[in-house]
Structures are given as C-alpha cells and as structure tokens.
C-alpha cells in the first residue's frame, strides 16, 4: 500500500497515571479527532473507578469508542480488539475525522497498527481435541500451568479460565515450536497506517508518587463499593476481575488481607504494571517520547506534541 493511500492514525501511549487523558482531549479538540480507547479493561461496564475511566464531563464532547461495550462476565480478546478497531478507524475517516487510539495495553495497540495475522494456519485439530478432552476430564489448571512454563508472557495475558485461548496458545507451540508471543513477533512488522506514535513518560519517582496518590483517591471516591458490587454478584472467575484494583480488593473481601494490606498491594502492583508498560513500549514499538515530568509546563508540552503530530501528518 502506498504511503499516501494509508489512513492517518495517531496513537498516544504511556504508563498508567502519566496524564494521557488530559492531553488526549486537548489534542482531539485541535486535531478534530475521535478517540478509541486502547485499554483492555475500560471496555467493561461498571468498572469505572478502578480503571480510571474517563467521565462524560472529562470527554468535553469528544466522541470516545470502546468504553463500556462489555459486561464484566464477558471475555475480550486481542483478535476482537484488532477487528473492531480497524473498522472504527475507517468509519472515523469516513466522517472526516482523525482517529486517535489512547491507552496503555501494548499488545492490543500493536495488533492494530502492524500487519498481524491471527489465522488458523498453525493448527492441529487432533491435538486440540486431545486438550479439550483433558480439560473436560481434569479441568484447565494443568494446561494453564503448562502454558505458564512454556510461554509466561501469554499466561500473563490470558485468563486461566479462558479455555479456548489457553488451548490455542499450546496448539501454536505444538505446531510451530514457537510460543504464541514468538509466533506473533515473527510476523512481518509492516505498518498499516500513516502513523504518528507518541508516548508520554515521566520521572520514575514522580510517576510512582502519582500512582500512589491516584490509588488513595480511588479509595476515597468509592473503589471498595465498586468492587463489592461485583463481589456480591458472584463475579469471580472472569477476565475483568483479574484487573489491578479488583483482584487485590477481592483478597480483602475474601478475608485474606486487611484493607490496608490490599491497598498497599494495589499500589505496588500498579507501579509494577507501569514499569512493565514502559518496558514493553520501549522494546516493541518505535515511539517518539515526550517527558511530562514538569507538570506546570503542560501548555508548552502540548504545543510541542501538537506541532510534531501536525508536521508528521502534514495537516
């Protein structure tokens, strides 16, 4: 595809609590953009405080997509994300707007912008049936443990109860000798869009301090009530409840931790997640980074980022 024929796309990434939401709204206003959430947990209805979901007021009239599209007991995969987002990008262009993906789930974003094929070419139906029979007889735990040993990256992304995806990851390993992660990374990294990929970063200690304060604010504004509502509905073995902020408070509600211990775990797990996000983005994607450490220089930083995008996309 010729460069000039590719659809224009802006992607704004960065770790949790770095300030993506505020910047994305200001950019969308100036760029006449619509925002697509690139967060794998903000898709769930009712998971508002724990995922730091943008509020209607914060949107300031900017259209947002892929927020509140799933019930908490439903699963959502990178394949589904890729399919939905690529359609959205085309639809937004047809409206004469610029699509902008904003979020922190690296693999999801990567699956959209590069020519990743989630095909069935690496398949072995006999082996798949064997694994399905094993699950029926003995449960998923043994298979998930096997996946953790051969492909810890996939095991971290896939919920232990998502039988189809656990089996698929093991099937890929059996047929190709590569883990699902290696299989994807071995594919062509051809960019499908006329892309501007920008990332926000921040001094590590300042970011961690912002994360800790954000968690305190979440607790003050009702996170425990939000999680308790899911808990009382009996939601447990589903993808959504594995989200940071929910699993820690479930441990408190189960009586395994005190509330203070659960909140400390939540802060620590969020800091670790932010560190993993930064590592992923730096290792896997060609990002133009902007440092947001000087919070009193937002306007200056915004102008710098806007000029960079406008220059790259020639708008």
């Amino acid at each position: 595809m010729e460069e000039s024929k590719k659809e224009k796309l802006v992607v704004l990434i960065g770790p949790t609590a770095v300030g993506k939401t505020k910047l994305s709204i200001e950019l969308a206003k100036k760029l006449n953009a619509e925002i697509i959430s690139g967060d794998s947990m903000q898709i769930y209805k009712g998971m508002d405080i724990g995922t730091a979901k943008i509020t209607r007021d914060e949107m300031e009239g900017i259209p947002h997509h892929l927020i509140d599209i799933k019930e908490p007991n439903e699963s959502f995969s990178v394949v589904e994300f890729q399919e939905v987002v690529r359609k959205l990008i085309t639809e937004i262009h047809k409206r004469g707007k610029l699509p902008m993906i904003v979020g922190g789930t690296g693999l999801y974003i990567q699956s959209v912008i590069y020519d990743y094929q989630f095909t069935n070419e690496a398949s072995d139906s006999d082996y798949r049936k064997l694994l399905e029979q094993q699950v029926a007889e003995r449960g998923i735990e043994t298979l998930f443990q096997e996946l953790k040993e051969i492909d810890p990256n996939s095991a971290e992304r896939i919920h232990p109860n998502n039988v189809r995806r656990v089996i698929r990851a093991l099937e890929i390993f059996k047929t190709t000798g590569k883990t699902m992660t290696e299989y994807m990374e071995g594919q062509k990294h051809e960019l499908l869009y006329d892309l501007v990929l920008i990332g926000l970063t921040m001094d590590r200690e300042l970011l961690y301090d912002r994360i800790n304060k954000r968690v305190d604010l979440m607790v003050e504004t009702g996170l425990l009530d939000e999680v308790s509502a899911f808990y009382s509905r009996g939601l447990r073995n589903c993808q959504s409840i594995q989200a940071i902020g929910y699993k820690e408070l479930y441990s408190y509600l189960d009586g395994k931790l005190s509330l203070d211990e659960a909140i400390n775990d939540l802060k620590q797990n969020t800091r670790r997640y932010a560190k993993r996000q930064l590592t992923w983005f730096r290792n896997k994607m060609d990002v133009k980074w902007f440092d947001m450490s000087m919070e009193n220089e937002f306007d200056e930083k915004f102008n710098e980022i806007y000029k960079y995008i406008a220059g790259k996309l020639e708008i």
Side-chain angles (χ1 to χ4, degrees), residues 8-13 23-33 98-102 194-200 288 290 301-315:
K8 295 181 189 299
L9 176 66
V10 175
V11 176
L12 173 63
I13 60 173
L23 183 75
S24 68
I25 295 298
E26 296 307 314
L27 284 173
K29 287 183 201 169
K30 191 123 179 181
L31 292 164
N32 190 27
L98 177 68
M100 177 162 60
I101 302 175
V102 180
D194 183 4
L195 177 74
V196 181
L197 178 56
I198 55 178
L200 306 185
K288 170 68 173 175
F290 293 90
K301 194 61 66 172
F302 166 77
N303 287 329
E304 184 186 344
I305 293 169
Y306 170 72
K307 282 176 186 167
Y308 176 78
I309 295 170
K312 290 283 282 185
L313 294 181
E314 298 177 349
I315 53 179

Side-chain angles (χ1 to χ4, degrees), residues 5-249:
K5 300 293 183 191
K6 291 181 179 179
E7 293 170 317
K8 295 181 189 299
L9 176 66
V10 175
V11 176
L12 173 63
I13 60 173
T16 187
V18 79
K20 296 186 295 294
T21 301
K22 181 183 177 184
L23 183 75
S24 68
I25 295 298
E26 296 307 314
L27 284 173
K29 287 183 201 169
K30 191 123 179 181
L31 292 164
N32 190 27
E34 294 188 19
I35 291 174
I36 301 168
S37 170
D39 185 293
S40 62
M41 289 297 162
Q42 291 190 359
I43 59 166
Y44 290 112
K45 296 173 185 174
M47 293 178 63
D48 303 331
I49 299 170
T51 64
K53 193 181 289 175
I54 189 168
T55 65
R56 189 64 55 189
D57 285 347
E58 287 170 337
M59 289 180 187
E60 296 189 36
I62 301 296
H64 279 66
H65 305 274
L66 257 63
I67 291 174
D68 294 338
I69 61 165
K70 291 278 186 180
E71 296 297 334
N73 60 346
E74 293 181 295
S75 62
F76 190 67
S77 71
V78 65
V79 182
E80 196 174 344
F81 180 84
Q82 181 193 60
E83 189 179 318
V84 172
V85 171
R86 285 184 180 169
K87 281 181 185 167
L88 271 172
I89 288 169
T90 299
E91 287 167 11
I92 291 167
H93 270 287
K94 283 178 179 170
R95 289 194 283 274
K97 300 283 201 70
L98 177 68
M100 177 162 60
I101 302 175
V102 180
T105 307
L107 178 71
Y108 277 43
I109 293 168
Q110 213 178 2
S111 76
V112 170
I113 64 176
Y114 292 116
D115 190 21
Y116 277 167
Q117 304 290 325
F118 295 102
T119 65
N120 291 321
E121 63 186 64
S123 65
D124 182 334
S125 58
D126 291 340
Y127 180 65
R128 187 163 61 244
K129 283 172 189 164
L130 184 72
L131 295 183
E132 286 167 356
Q133 188 180 341
Q134 190 175 323
V135 171
E137 291 170 0
R138 288 178 282 174
I140 190 65
E141 293 80 11
T142 313
L143 289 190
F144 189 73
Q145 200 53 47
E146 191 180 329
L147 179 62
K148 273 173 92 169
E149 286 166 17
I150 64 169
D151 188 3
N153 287 326
S154 289
E156 191 172 309
R157 290 194 306 270
I158 299 171
H159 187 271
N161 292 334
N162 195 331
V163 175
R164 186 177 58 82
R165 290 189 68 208
V166 171
I167 288 176
R168 180 70 183 128
L170 290 170
E171 185 186 1
I172 285 174
F173 185 70
K174 165 81 161 47
T175 53
T176 67
K178 297 175 182 175
T179 65
M180 184 186 272
T181 307
E182 289 168 339
Y183 177 70
M184 283 183 61
E185 287 174 359
Q187 294 189 30
K188 288 185 301 179
H189 274 205
E190 184 196 339
L191 277 172
L192 296 182
Y193 299 97
D194 183 4
L195 177 74
V196 181
L197 178 56
I198 55 178
L200 306 185
T201 186
M202 186 175 277
D203 171 77
R204 187 67 56 90
E205 291 308 311
L206 178 59
L207 181 64
Y208 287 176
D209 183 56
R210 280 173 64 111
I211 287 170
N212 292 340
K213 285 176 178 166
R214 175 187 269 193
V215 170
D216 288 336
L217 185 61
M218 286 176 172
V219 173
E220 284 169 29
T221 52
L223 179 61
L224 183 55
D225 289 340
E226 181 172 286
V227 177
S228 297
F230 291 120
Y231 189 87
S232 63
R233 283 166 60 187
L235 286 169
R236 184 168 288 271
N237 293 321
C238 47
Q239 192 173 325
S240 61
I241 302 305
Q242 298 308 302
I244 296 170
Y246 297 82
K247 59 184 178 183
E248 294 84 2
L249 289 178

